[in-house]
C-alpha cells in the first residue's frame, strides 16, 4: 500500500506546526484532494480542528500507548482512499516519553511510517540562527528524513529571502515562510486550544489556506508527500465490524468531546452500537442503552448548564444505581461526582454517583503518560492487568477516597499512588485510555453491557 504522506513537525511546542498543518490541510482540500489528517500523541483538541479543515475524522498515532503493529494498522485503515495524509506532530520533533530515546515522539512515528518530515521553525527575531537550528535537527537522527523547512512568524520580503538563503546554505529545502496571519489564530484556555466542537473556525481556516497558498510552496509539499515509499509491512490484526449486540450511550457535546476515533471504532468492532447524547441538552438517555461512556472535556466551563439539566443528571445516577456499566474519563469523572467547584470558587451540583466534590485548581495538577495496574476487577480490566494512558487535569479530589481501581505504576492519578473511583459497575478515572491499545478492555466493557442488558 502506498499512501502519499508527510509529517509536519515543530522545533518545540508553540513553533506553529498546528497553524501550518491546518493551513496545508485546508489548502489541499480546496485543491480538490481527499485529505486524511493525523495527530501524533495523546491530543484531543487538534484532531477536532483537523477534521474541520480536512473534512474527515482525524486519528491519533501514539507510539508509546499503541503497539507499533497496531499503529501501522490504524494508519493504513484510516488513510485508505486518501490522496494525501498530513500528520501533525507533538511538541518538538524529538520530544516524547522521556529524554532517553524517541519513544512517543514525532520522530519515532515518522520512522515507523517511513514518512518525510517538514520542520516548522519559529523565525521571529532570527535569520541565520534558523539554519543552525535546522542543522541540529537534521543531524541528531539521520534516520529521520528531513525533507524541508517552513518558517513561521516571518517578517517582510527581505526577511523571508534571508531565511531562504540561510536554510538552503545547510542543504535543506526551503518551502516557505508564513508571516503572522491576521485572523488566523485559534483561541486558547487552560487545556490548550478551544475545541472545534465549541466554535466555528471556517473563517480562520479560510485565512490559513489563503496564507499557505501565498507564502508556502504547497505544491512542493505535496510532491514531498508523494515521494514517500510504500508503507512498511507488518501490523496488527484488522478490526472487522461485527453485528451489534449491545447499545452504548456516548456523551458528546461542548462539555464532553475528548474521544479517540479509533477507540470508538474498537467499541464498534467489539459489538457495540454507539448512540451519542448530550448531558447539556438532552433530557434523558438514548433509548435501549445498556452502558455509558463519558469522555473528558470541559465540564467546569459548562458547570452551570450541566447543573441546570437535572433530568439528565438523575437519569445517569439512576442508571448507575441500577448496575448499568459506566466508564468515565477525567471530565466524565468530575461529572459523576456530587459537586464541581470551579477555580473561581463557585460550586455546582453534578450527577452524584460518587459522594465527592472535585475542585478546579489554578494550575495543572498532573500531565503526562501513565501506566496503571488494576487492583480489583472492573468493567474494563481484570485484577492485575495493566494499561497505558495519559492524564491532563487541573482538578483534584479530597483526601480519603475509599475504594479505588488502579495502582499507579507511573503517573499521578488521584494522589500519586491510586486512581479510579468504583461504585457498582461504574469506573471513573483521571486516566485517558486509548482503547485500540487495550482492545480486550473494550471487549470486557461490551461484555459487561451485554450482561446487564440480559439481566435487566
Amino acid at each position: 500500500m502506498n499512501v502519499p504522506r508527510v509529517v509536519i513537525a515543530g522545533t518545540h511546542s508553540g513553533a506553529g506546526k498546528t497553524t501550518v498543518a491546518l493551513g496545508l490541510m485546508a489548502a489541499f482540500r480546496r485543491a480538490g484532494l481527499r485529505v486524511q489528517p493525523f495527530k501524533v500523541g495523546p491530543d484531543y483538541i487538534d484532531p477536532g480542528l483537523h477534521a474541520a479543515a480536512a473534512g474527515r475524522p482525524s486519528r491519533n498515532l501514539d507510539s508509546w500507548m499503541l503497539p507499533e503493529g497496531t499503529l501501522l494498522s490504524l494508519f493504513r485503515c484510516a488513510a485508505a482512499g486518501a490522496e494525501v495524509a498530513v500528520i501533525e506532530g507533538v511538541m518538538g520533533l524529538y520530544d516524547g516519553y522521556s529524554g532517553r530515546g524517541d519513544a512517543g515522539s514525532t520522530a519515532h512515528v515518522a520512522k515507523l511510517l517511513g514518512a518525510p518530515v517538514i520542520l516548522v521553525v519559529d523565525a521571529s527575531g532570527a535569520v541565520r540562527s534558523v539554519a543552525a537550528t535546522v542543522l541540529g535537527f537534521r543531524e541528531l537522527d539521520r534516520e529521520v528524513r528531513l525533507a524541508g523547512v517552513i518558517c513561521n512568524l516571518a517578517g517582510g520580503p527581505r526577511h523571508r529571502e534571508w531565511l531562504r538563503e540561510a536554510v538552503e546554505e545547510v542543504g535543506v529545502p526551503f518551502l516557505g515562510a508564513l508571516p503572522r496571519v491576521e485572523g488566523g489564530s485559534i483561541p486558547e484556555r487552560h487545556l490548550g486550544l478551544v475545541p472545534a466542537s465549541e466554535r466555528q473556525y471556517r473563517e480562520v481556516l479560510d485565512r490559513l489556506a489563503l496564507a499557505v497558498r501565498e507564502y508556502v510552496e504547497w505544491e512542493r509539499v505535496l510532491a514531498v508527500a508523494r515521494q514517500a515509499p510504500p508503507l512498511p509491512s507488518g501490523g496488527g490484526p484488522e478490526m472487522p465490524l461485527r453485528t451489534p449486540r449491545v447499545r452504548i450511550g456516548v456523551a458528546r457535546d461542548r462539555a464532553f468531546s475528548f474521544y479517540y476515533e479509533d477507540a470508538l471504532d474498537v467499541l464498534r468492532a467489539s459489538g457495540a452500537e454507539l448512540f451519542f447524547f448530550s448531558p447539556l441538552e438532552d433530557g434523558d438517555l438514548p433509548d435501549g442503552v445498556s452502558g455509558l461512556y463519558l469522555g473528558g472535556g470541559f465540564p467546569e466551563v459548562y458547570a452551570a448548564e450541566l447543573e441546570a439539566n437535572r433530568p439528565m443528571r438523575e437519569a445517569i445516577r439512576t442508571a448507575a444505581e441500577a448496575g448499568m456499566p459506566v466508564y468515565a474519563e477525567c471530565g466524565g469523572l468530575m461529572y459523576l461526582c456530587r459537586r464541581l467547584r470551579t477555580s473561581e470558587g463557585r460550586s455546582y451540583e453534578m450527577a452524584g454517583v460518587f459522594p465527592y466534590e472535585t475542585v478546579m485548581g489554578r494550575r495543572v495538577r498532573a500531565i503526562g503518560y501513565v501506566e496503571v495496574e488494576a487492583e480489583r476487577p472492573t468493567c474494563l480490566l481484570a485484577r492485575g492487568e495493566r494499561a497505558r494512558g495519559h492524564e491532563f487535569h487541573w482538578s483534584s479530589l479530597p483526601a480519603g477516597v475509599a475504594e479505588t481501581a488502579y495502582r499507579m505504576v507511573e503517573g499521578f492519578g488521584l494522589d500519586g499512588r491510586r486512581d479510579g473511583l468504583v461504585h457498582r459497575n461504574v469506573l471513573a478515572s483521571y486516566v485517558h485510555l486509548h482503547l485500540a491499545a487495550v482492545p480486550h478492555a473494550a471487549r470486557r466493557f461490551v461484555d459487561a453491557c451485554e450482561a446487564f442488558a440480559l439481566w435487566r
Side-chain angles (χ1 to χ4, degrees):
M1 180 178 181
N2 194 13
V3 178
R5 58 199 182 277
V6 64
V7 172
I8 308 301
T11 54
H12 59 279
S13 293
K17 59 183 177 292
T18 300
T19 296
V20 172
L22 289 175
L24 285 169
M25 292 173 191
F28 289 154
R29 184 184 182 191
R30 282 157 178 75
L33 295 170
R34 294 188 300 275
V35 184
Q36 176 57 53
F38 293 92
K39 173 67 181 181
V40 177
D43 190 287
Y44 288 104
I45 296 176
D46 287 350
L49 300 172
H50 293 175
R56 290 167 64 124
S58 183
R59 309 290 176 143
N60 291 76
L61 303 172
D62 191 299
S63 65
W64 190 80
M65 287 195 290
L66 294 170
E68 293 182 3
T70 300
L71 187 150
L72 281 168
S73 292
L74 295 181
F75 181 86
R76 281 197 193 92
C77 182
E83 293 174 286
V84 61
V86 179
I87 306 150
E88 183 190 344
V90 61
M91 300 184 289
L93 172 59
Y94 294 108
D95 301 319
Y97 169 68
S98 73
R100 297 187 301 273
D102 64 2
S105 70
T106 304
H108 189 200
V109 171
K111 289 191 290 187
L112 288 175
L113 297 177
V117 174
I118 292 175
L119 185 68
V120 178
V121 183
D122 181 346
S124 58
V127 179
R128 199 158 183 262
S129 295
V130 169
T133 299
V134 171
L135 186 61
F137 272 80
R138 185 185 68 186
E139 295 301 319
L140 182 62
D141 187 346
R142 278 288 193 164
E143 292 184 22
V144 175
R145 182 193 163 200
L146 186 55
V149 169
I150 295 174
C151 290
N152 188 40
L153 299 179
R158 178 177 291 184
H159 187 206
R160 295 197 296 272
E161 184 56 32
W162 286 348
L163 289 169
R164 176 185 295 278
E165 292 171 353
V167 171
E168 289 180 347
E169 183 183 357
V170 295
V172 178
F174 181 83
L175 299 176
L178 276 175
R180 189 179 299 276
V181 181
E182 188 69 29
S185 60
I186 309 291
E188 298 187 42
R189 62 170 173 233
H190 56 280
L191 291 184
L193 302 176
V194 176
S197 60
E198 299 182 40
R199 293 185 58 148
Q200 293 294 322
Y201 288 115
R202 179 174 298 175
E203 185 176 345
V204 172
L205 295 170
D206 285 342
R207 290 178 182 271
L208 292 178
L210 288 172
V212 162
R213 292 179 74 94
E214 181 176 357
Y215 295 103
V216 173
E217 297 179 52
W218 64 277
E219 290 176 311
R220 286 183 66 193
V221 175
L222 183 59
V224 166
R226 288 171 171 166
Q227 291 166 8
L231 281 166
S233 59
E238 300 296 328
M239 296 184 298
L241 288 176
R242 298 175 182 170
T243 302
R245 54 193 172 98
V246 70
R247 294 182 171 190
I248 294 177
V250 180
R252 199 169 204 178
D253 56 18
R254 288 167 292 141
F256 303 98
S257 61
F258 291 2
Y259 298 96
Y260 297 125
E261 286 295 325
D262 288 308
L264 300 178
D265 285 346
V266 170
L267 286 171
R268 294 185 182 101
S270 300
E273 186 176 6
L274 304 184
F275 289 81
F276 296 100
F277 70 98
S278 171
L280 286 172
E281 299 176 0
D282 294 337
D284 202 353
L285 297 172
D287 290 339
V289 297
S290 301
L292 299 176
Y293 182 12
L294 308 175
F298 296 97
E300 67 277 10
V301 175
Y302 299 97
E305 294 173 59
L306 291 169
E307 181 185 60
N309 192 353
R310 183 173 180 176
M312 177 58 77
R313 293 190 287 109
E314 291 181 347
I316 289 177
R317 183 170 62 250
T318 299
E321 291 300 327
M324 180 182 289
V326 180
Y327 174 53
E329 295 178 332
C330 200
L333 176 152
M334 297 167 69
Y335 180 61
L336 291 183
C337 285
R338 180 175 58 87
R339 301 191 69 85
L340 188 161
R341 184 176 297 275
T342 68
S343 56
E344 293 77 27
R346 300 186 185 91
S347 183
Y348 298 91
E349 190 172 351
M350 295 288 111
V353 176
F354 299 104
Y356 309 114
E357 180 179 62
T358 58
V359 179
M360 284 293 296
R362 294 188 178 274
R363 62 182 63 183
V364 64
R365 176 81 168 171
I367 182 172
Y369 285 121
V370 302
E371 185 172 2
V372 298
E373 180 179 337
E375 293 191 302
R376 66 186 71 249
T378 66
C379 59
L380 234 63
L381 297 174
R383 180 184 177 91
E385 288 185 325
R386 291 190 177 190
R388 288 181 170 185
H390 185 267
E391 62 181 344
F392 188 5
H393 58 96
W394 290 51
S395 70
S396 60
L397 271 74
V401 171
E403 286 188 293
T404 54
Y406 300 145
R407 176 180 72 86
M408 302 303 297
V409 178
E410 185 163 353
F412 187 79
L414 291 171
D415 56 11
R417 298 179 295 109
R418 304 173 302 157
D419 197 6
L421 305 180
V422 181
H423 175 70
R424 296 179 67 83
N425 263 341
V426 181
L427 169 63
S429 169
Y430 274 124
V431 176
H432 296 276
L433 294 178
H434 197 315
L435 293 178
V438 280
H440 61 279
R443 290 192 293 270
R444 185 179 177 92
F445 184 61
V446 173
D447 288 345
C449 295
E450 185 178 36
F452 174 75
L454 294 173
W455 173 78
R456 68 173 179 177

